[in-house]
Amino acid sequence: MTETPQSVIIIDDHPLFRKGLIQLLRTVPGFRLVAEAADGKEGIAHILRLRPDLLLLDLNMKDMSGLEVLRFVKQADLDTRVVMVTVSDAAEDLVAALRAGADGYLLKDMEPEEMVEALKSAAAGRIVVSDALTHLMAAALRQEKRPESASAAGLTEREQRILERIAGGLSNKQIARELDIAEGTVKVHVKHLLRKLNFRSRVEAAVWAVEHMRTER
């Protein structure tokens, strides 16, 4: 966690869960709730006005789905990290959210202590996925045609070093610091390696790297 409190917005159309999540956040130093919303449209208005560090977003809402809100946030080019918090453990929902740019996907039935640790990790720039779902992600990727190795994908040595750190949960800023290069340079390399691996999200690339790159060494 950073010393500066992370500003948080919660969008969820279930009042009881929303209130429970708010109470949980208040027990954790380092988070500052700045707004809550019961639907996507109200939530987007808060996001544009407050530009939070972290958005906790329900997937299935009546007026506007969580995926629609997620896509809006990502297209608006905000620095807001978006973590889906949902009851859905369906592989297609998980993959759709991550490919749309979600920075995490957590199940609502997580233990409070696990939820807190996951949110701390998200605030630190890491991608978070409920442990119960990582095998679904891996299985979904296996069904699609992908390169079998980093060399087969044509990744450069620099791209492989960056991919290893993505798999380790590091953010672009953390990778840049560790490799002593500009964050913008990291972003360019990430874009290139995702294209070479035919992935749309860094989470997919991280799962692929864990399964394929360790066997190469």
Side-chain angles (χ1 to χ4, degrees):
M1 291 286 291
T2 56
E3 291 181 10
T4 305
Q6 296 276 310
S7 58
V8 183
I9 288 179
I10 297 173
I11 305 176
D12 195 300
D13 64 357
H14 293 87
L16 279 177
F17 180 79
R18 194 170 68 246
K19 297 302 181 189
L21 192 53
I22 289 169
Q23 288 179 353
L24 183 65
L25 279 178
R26 285 176 176 156
T27 69
V28 187
F31 289 111
R32 180 172 58 91
L33 182 75
V34 293
E36 60 173 295
D39 61 69
K41 290 177 182 176
E42 180 190 359
I44 283 174
H46 288 318
I47 292 163
L48 291 176
R49 181 170 57 88
L50 298 168
R51 304 177 75 88
D53 298 309
L54 184 64
L55 170 63
L56 305 181
L57 178 62
D58 190 14
L59 182 64
N60 298 309
M61 297 184 290
K62 294 183 181 71
D63 72 318
M64 186 178 187
S65 75
L67 278 180
E68 290 176 289
V69 177
L70 169 63
R71 292 190 185 106
F72 179 90
V73 172
K74 293 302 176 178
Q75 288 169 4
D77 199 27
L78 301 169
D79 286 333
T80 301
R81 297 180 62 76
V82 184
V83 176
M84 313 304 293
V85 185
T86 176
V87 296
S88 176
D89 59 1
E92 57 266 29
D93 286 338
L94 169 65
V95 172
L98 296 177
R99 287 182 174 170
D103 300 289
Y105 193 102
L106 303 176
L107 295 177
K108 287 184 175 181
D109 63 1
M110 291 175 71
E111 292 294 330
E113 296 81 7
E114 293 176 354
M115 178 73 75
V116 166
E117 289 307 312
L119 295 181
K120 285 181 179 179
S121 292
R126 301 186 187 92
I127 295 163
V128 290
V129 177
S130 288
D131 290 342
L133 299 177
T134 50
H135 71 285
L136 289 179
M137 187 74 192
L141 296 184
R142 286 192 206 103
Q143 294 173 5
E144 302 176 7
K145 182 114 178 112
R146 306 289 178 192
E148 287 301 313
S149 66
S151 55
L155 298 187
T156 65
E157 184 178 343
R158 172 62 61 81
E159 287 166 350
Q160 290 184 47
R161 292 176 70 193
I162 289 173
L163 181 54
E164 286 169 354
R165 284 157 177 80
I166 290 174
L170 272 63
S171 66
N172 286 346
K173 187 175 291 184
Q174 291 167 325
I175 294 171
R177 194 179 305 125
E178 194 165 300
L179 297 181
D180 196 24
I181 56 178
E183 187 177 351
T185 302
V186 175
K187 288 181 179 178
V188 171
H189 283 303
V190 171
K191 184 178 179 181
H192 289 167
L193 70 87
L194 288 178
R195 188 181 70 244
K196 290 178 181 179
L197 292 169
N198 194 26
F199 289 132
R200 279 179 281 176
S201 76
R202 58 195 291 135
V203 183
E204 294 173 290
V207 172
W208 180 91
V210 169
E211 289 209 327
H212 292 80
M213 293 183 71
R214 287 178 184 171
T215 60
E216 292 184 56
R217 299 188 183 281

